Amino acid sequence: MTFHSSRSSLRKRLLMSVICAAALMMPLQASVAVADDVTVGQTFLASGLDPAQGSNGWALVTHGIAEQLFRVSRHGEVVPNLASSAEQQADGSWLVTLAADRFFSDGTPVTAELVAAALNRTGEANASARATAGRLTFEALDSATLRVTSEQPTPILPSILAEWAFPIYLETEGDPLFTGPFAVEQFDAGTSIAMVPNAFYADADGRPDVTIRRIADGQSMALAFASGEVDMAFNLPVETLSMFEGDEDRAVTSFPVAYQYMMWMNTSSPALSDVRVRRAIDLAVNRDDLVLAARAGQPATGAFAAAYPFAAEGPLPHDPEAAAQLLDDAGWAMGSDGVRSKDGERLELTLWAYPQRPDLVTFQPVIRAALSDLGIAVTTQVTESPGDVAGSGAFDLFLWAQHTAPAGDPGLFLSLFFETGSARNYSAWSSEAYNATIEALRTAIDPAERIALAQQAQELIAEDAPVAFLVTPEWHVGLSERLAGYEPWGSDYYVIRPDFGAAQ
């Protein structure tokens, strides 16, 4: 489906509404030269426009549609966005002051009452919004001031409000409206989003129309980029980069990201319920081999990229002999066919990955070979619905990519993915010692104490091995001439920003 036929009419309607609402609107600068309509190719796309559902909030922010009260700068600092400040009160609550002259894409001013309505709804609907400090409650004190109380006291509210579960939106009879630099013109679920500049966002005249196309896999993305179908190809597979060497019309930019590649181990799977088996698998994987396969990145040291002060110290061990001894101790004897067995059951596991992160599929044969050498028979599977498979628990091993500190703090990831009963505890792991550590992290104020607790949590994870942290990756973005000045930052959290497609 093409969307270009109606874009100009929507833009005219939006600009006309600007004229009619001039008294309410922030000043716009004079018109400047704008790049032609831009098409972005990505392997991921928002599954819907309701930010309270699933991971839609993250996707809508990365698409340039939605914004939060606070955001993370290109330097990794939490900075004000739709808010201008946040101050903690003596009773533990926070007063958040909104920035002046901010509007939804229909010209409605952003007020404390509308923000409270949106975020209270999200807090009720989305477990991810309750991960770091429990349920947050928002109360409008006046048009520009919010009182925020948290179920569990927190010293880091600005960081929490920068998490992907907290974009601001306006409920309407139709789709929600947002405050970002681009407004949705048409949404085709699973296929594309057509966007126009948000006329109520500063410098709207300096932005092009943008279409985001979901392309199922990295190889298809590279072909679309080579043929000129897309101006940006986000996260090209490393094996395709040679296609663009010497191409004067296309360039590839590589950049380190704060994601971690990891492998969930389902502790409810019969074989993996034994910590010795999980630790054996962790020891059998050679992170250097994975970096070599991806031709980029660094071996992981723990849950966070090494640049973070709360990252674990490395390197993680690779010891096939110790791994074999653990399996022997667990009663898994090597058979004549090279596969271990116990009580008549062969040690057979299924390893899942998903094509939206091409490196994970690249890792599958490397990990399968390492585990085969250990006497574990591995079958590989690929799914385009990773959240469904992981959430169902119908897997043994699952390769996963995750930004583990999207708001610059370790609390969200460590809580949301590992606490007992948490919404995304895909490994079904439970540890009372770990839960106590996260409870202490929630209320810790001193930065040094937060670092120590985050590192302690990673030690407990390493000891019980519900996950194997693998690689801190590097990604590759293809750019056409019209996006020659684009600089990627923030991993895939802020792909489309206010300066996207502006004339250089």
Side-chain angles (χ1 to χ4, degrees):
M1 179 182 295
T2 58
F3 305 104
H4 299 281
S5 60
S6 61
R7 282 193 205 172
S8 59
S9 62
L10 178 58
R11 176 177 275 181
K12 289 177 182 176
R13 294 197 304 271
L14 287 173
L15 291 177
M16 183 60 70
S17 67
V18 172
I19 296 172
C20 296
L24 295 175
M25 202 187 124
M26 68 176 70
L28 296 179
Q29 295 183 3
S31 298
V32 296
V34 183
D36 295 334
D37 294 357
V38 172
T39 301
V40 175
Q42 296 178 331
T43 55
F44 59 90
L45 190 74
S47 61
L49 297 179
D50 184 352
Q53 299 301 314
S55 299
N56 287 345
W58 158 75
L60 293 168
V61 169
T62 194
H63 295 339
I65 297 167
E67 299 176 298
Q68 309 106 314
L69 294 172
F70 290 82
R71 65 176 178 85
V72 179
S73 74
R74 70 171 60 220
H75 305 295
E77 301 168 334
V78 176
V79 296
N81 192 14
L82 291 174
S84 62
S85 65
E87 297 181 1
Q88 190 165 26
Q89 307 302 296
D91 63 359
S93 67
W94 289 74
L95 293 185
V96 176
T97 303
L98 299 182
D101 299 325
R102 298 303 300 270
F103 302 87
F104 294 99
S105 60
D106 68 343
T108 300
V110 176
T111 65
E113 183 180 10
L114 294 176
V115 170
L119 295 186
N120 284 331
R121 175 179 177 270
T122 295
E124 181 177 354
N126 195 327
S128 298
R130 304 189 293 270
T132 305
R135 178 72 179 272
L136 303 183
T137 301
F138 297 82
E139 175 191 2
L141 301 184
D142 56 44
S143 63
T145 311
L146 290 158
R147 183 187 303 278
V148 185
T149 56
S150 55
E151 185 177 357
Q152 296 156 330
T154 179
I156 58 162
L157 184 72
S159 178
I160 295 173
L161 295 179
E163 293 174 1
W164 51 262
F166 291 99
I168 306 305
Y169 56 98
L170 174 64
E171 285 193 273
T172 71
E173 292 182 359
D175 292 326
L177 298 177
F178 303 94
T179 65
F182 291 91
V184 176
E185 180 184 29
Q186 185 162 341
F187 175 67
D188 189 352
T191 302
S192 61
I193 300 178
M195 307 187 301
V196 296
N198 175 1
F200 292 88
Y201 199 104
D203 303 327
D205 289 349
R207 295 186 191 93
D209 294 351
V210 176
T211 296
I212 305 175
R213 284 180 50 197
R214 181 181 179 274
I215 300 176
D217 61 85
Q219 298 293 335
S220 299
M221 175 101 63
L223 292 174
F225 182 53
S227 67
E229 295 176 38
V230 298
D231 300 293
M232 171 186 281
F234 196 87
N235 203 355
L236 288 166
V238 68
E239 63 269 18
T240 68
L241 302 188
S242 61
M243 295 170 58
F244 310 107
E245 292 177 359
D247 190 328
E248 296 181 357
D249 299 324
R250 297 169 185 81
V252 175
T253 296
S254 300
F255 66 109
V257 297
Y259 265 65
Q260 294 291 76
Y261 291 153
M262 61 197 74
M263 182 169 64
W264 300 120
M265 301 195 215
N266 189 346
T267 63
S268 63
S269 176
L272 296 174
S273 63
D274 189 329
V275 65
R276 293 170 294 187
V277 177
R278 300 196 301 270
R279 290 178 62 191
I281 291 171
D282 194 26
L283 287 169
V285 176
N286 188 335
R287 275 82 177 169
D288 290 329
D289 287 347
L290 297 177
V291 170
L292 185 63
R295 289 185 259 173
Q298 299 292 327
T301 63
F304 304 99
Y308 289 111
F310 40 80
E313 296 184 2
L316 291 170
H318 169 235
D319 192 338
E321 292 185 4
Q325 185 61 57
L326 282 168
L327 292 182
D328 289 341
D329 294 344
W332 291 97
M334 182 69 79
S336 58
D337 60 352
V339 177
R340 292 176 180 267
S341 62
K342 178 180 178 180
D343 299 329
E345 296 290 333
R346 287 160 52 92
L347 186 47
E348 298 176 329
L349 301 174
T350 301
L351 172 64
W352 289 80
Y354 49 101
Q356 291 92 325
R357 302 299 182 198
D359 288 338
L360 302 182
V361 179
T362 300
F363 289 168
Q364 281 185 305
V366 180
I367 294 174
R368 180 177 60 197
L371 298 188
S372 177
D373 290 343
L374 193 59
I376 301 175
V378 173
T379 301
T380 58
Q381 294 280 354
V382 176
T383 176
E384 290 194 3
S385 303
D388 292 343
V389 175
S392 72
F395 68 92
D396 296 313
L397 305 171
F398 205 137
L399 291 169
W400 194 264
Q402 187 71 39
H403 194 322
T404 53
D409 185 83
L412 174 64
F413 177 72
L414 294 176
S415 171
L416 186 58
F417 288 87
F418 295 99
E419 271 194 297
T420 301
S422 58
R424 302 198 179 195
N425 186 345
Y426 297 137
S427 61
W429 181 55
S430 180
S431 165
E432 291 185 7
Y434 182 87
N435 295 343
T437 300
I438 299 306
E439 284 296 327
L441 177 63
R442 282 196 175 94
T443 57
I445 297 174
D446 179 64
E449 182 183 4
R450 294 187 66 79
I451 289 171
L453 287 167
Q455 292 175 336
Q456 179 181 330
Q458 291 172 84
E459 291 172 1
L460 291 169
I461 292 171
E463 183 178 318
D464 224 30
V467 65
F469 295 111
L470 303 174
V471 171
T472 303
E474 180 178 279
W475 287 350
H476 318 284
V477 179
L479 301 168
S480 71
E481 282 187 300
R482 68 184 66 183
L483 293 176
Y486 179 86
E487 295 183 13
W489 56 274
S491 298
D492 61 357
Y493 200 18
Y494 301 102
V495 175
I496 298 178
R497 307 184 298 267
D499 61 350
F500 187 81
Q504 302 301 315

